[in-house]
Amino acid sequence: RRAGGGLSAALRVLLVRLSALGDVVHALPALERLRGALPQARLTWVVEPHAAPVLRGHPSLDEVVVLERKQALRAGGALSRTLHGLKSLRGRFDAALDLQGLLRSALVARASGAPLLLGPAWAPEGARFLYRQRLEVARPGEAHAVERARQLVDGLLRALDQPLPSGPLPAPRLPETLRDAPLAGALPEGPGPLLALIPGAGKSANRLPPGLLAEVADRCAQDHPQLRVVLLGATQDAALARETIARCERARPESLCGELSLVDSARVLQAADAILGGDTGPLHLARALDRPLVALFHAAEPARTGPSGLSGGAQVVVHAGQVECAPCRARRCRRPDRVRVCLDDLPVAEIASQVSGLLAQRRGREGS
């Protein structure tokens, strides 16, 4: 919509990035860039339930539309809610941008009926044929997810004949509800520093072995006798958490896996003095919260999804796999024997020393 040669304040833009949690987090700097370029526009984001708490109440969004995941459509009422959600998008937007580049996200963007419909030219599954304008942007293997989201937003701004913002990408922002104090009783009692371990991941190849987590926790507990340790994750990570606890000889971790909502997990991460995890949503959320962390990218590729892709002042240490097959970026180990070797060369003692150093730095600043 244009008025007097410029964009009117009534410009309505739909962003589609349905999942996953880490990918939604990686798109937040691009959202800030878009908001900076279009301060008066109405911005709406369509997302699936798991990542919705990262967007609800976000200061740069006017509306969040939540669609059921495809796995949930068998549940009673889920299909009708999804269809109703898609119908509610129809005819409300001047432009729609598919930040995900999959068939299902392209279909959602298309369902809006926006006259200006954009998405990546490389989108698979025939998704690119649903766009009215295909954007020549980097493929997933060619740039970090944060950078790819920026390129898509810049493509939208060019299509709207808007100048691109100068300077680097803004830091990601999150709803203030994610920064509140943790629930009473959610954290172990005591005055010692807090270490959060994230054992699980959506891709099994990115999960961390309990033995490694236990050794790091024990070494840190030796350096910090009053250390508090929590394990964060979903219900399916509870078994990994139990094995980690069983392997600990000095540390006394407490498992919160499956016990907290995403909002409450974010509040625990916000309170942590150091975080250790792999390529998984909660780790990227911790980075967006600007928490100090050590990330193990043994199977994943830091250049594509590493936490250093998000700006922030807290210290970040990334360890990449050094074996021939790393990074495989696979959902499951592709070796014929299914024995993961990508973690074999990771220096556990060095990792523990780095985590312990982060714990000491945070506590030192609090005491200064």
Side-chain angles (χ1 to χ4, degrees), residues 14 21 56 108 150 154 171 178 202 204 242 250 253 271 305 325:
L14 178 68
L21 174 60
R56 287 196 187 101
V108 172
R150 181 198 67 78
D154 284 0
L178 274 64
S204 61
R242 288 193 297 269
R250 190 181 192 101
T305 56
C325 56

Side-chain angles (χ1 to χ4, degrees), residues 320-357:
Q322 300 298 317
V323 296
E324 183 178 357
C325 56
C328 64
R329 301 186 296 273
R331 182 164 292 277
R332 297 179 179 83
C333 181
R334 292 174 177 169
R335 286 170 52 89
D337 56 9
R338 293 293 188 268
V339 176
R340 288 197 298 169
V341 297
C342 50
L343 291 161
D344 290 353
D345 292 337
L346 291 182
V348 180
E350 181 180 339
I351 292 169
S353 176
Q354 291 165 340
V355 173
S356 183

Side-chain angles (χ1 to χ4, degrees), residues 109-324:
R110 185 81 179 193
S112 71
L116 182 59
L117 174 58
L118 309 97
W122 51 258
E125 307 172 312
R128 61 187 179 276
F129 299 113
L130 296 174
Y131 308 134
R132 293 188 172 89
Q133 185 172 339
R134 302 172 196 170
L135 301 175
E136 295 293 340
V137 296
R139 293 172 177 268
E142 297 172 346
H144 195 283
V146 173
E147 169 62 15
R148 289 187 284 112
R150 181 198 67 78
Q151 292 179 15
L152 287 167
V153 161
D154 284 0
L156 170 63
L157 291 173
R158 290 190 186 97
L160 294 170
D161 296 325
Q162 288 298 291
L164 302 184
S166 60
L169 271 174
R173 288 194 293 174
L174 292 167
E176 285 302 316
T177 54
L178 274 64
R179 298 182 180 276
D180 289 344
L183 292 172
L187 300 182
E189 295 183 357
L194 178 65
L195 169 61
L197 304 176
I198 306 173
K203 296 180 180 179
S204 61
N206 292 336
R207 295 170 189 163
L208 303 186
L212 183 150
L213 293 173
E215 183 174 350
V216 170
D218 281 341
R219 287 175 178 265
C220 289
Q222 185 173 356
D223 295 339
H224 306 274
Q226 294 181 310
L227 179 68
R228 297 173 296 153
V229 184
V230 294
L231 290 124
L232 285 175
T235 302
Q236 58 265 31
D237 303 321
L240 286 173
R242 288 193 297 269
E243 187 175 350
T244 300
I245 293 171
R247 286 173 174 260
C248 285
E249 298 179 359
R250 190 181 192 101
R252 295 292 179 265
E254 295 185 15
S255 176
L256 299 175
C257 292
E259 297 183 11
L260 301 179
S261 67
L262 180 60
V263 171
D264 291 324
S265 294
R267 293 170 178 175
V268 171
L269 292 170
Q270 176 70 25
D273 298 299
I275 296 150
L276 173 64
D279 184 16
T280 184
L283 183 93
H284 300 302
L285 181 58
R287 176 58 174 165
L289 290 164
D290 203 19
R291 309 311 295 160
L293 56 89
V294 175
L296 306 185
F297 273 58
H298 44 284
E301 187 174 1
R304 293 180 64 168
T305 56
S308 297
L310 289 169
S311 60
Q315 185 174 349
V316 174
V317 180
V318 179
H319 288 271
Q322 300 298 317
V323 296
E324 183 178 357

Side-chain angles (χ1 to χ4, degrees), residues 63-74:
E63 181 185 15
V64 176
V65 176
V66 181
L67 294 182
E68 300 287 344
R69 288 185 60 85
K70 57 184 179 181
Q71 294 94 327
L73 294 183
R74 298 187 187 92

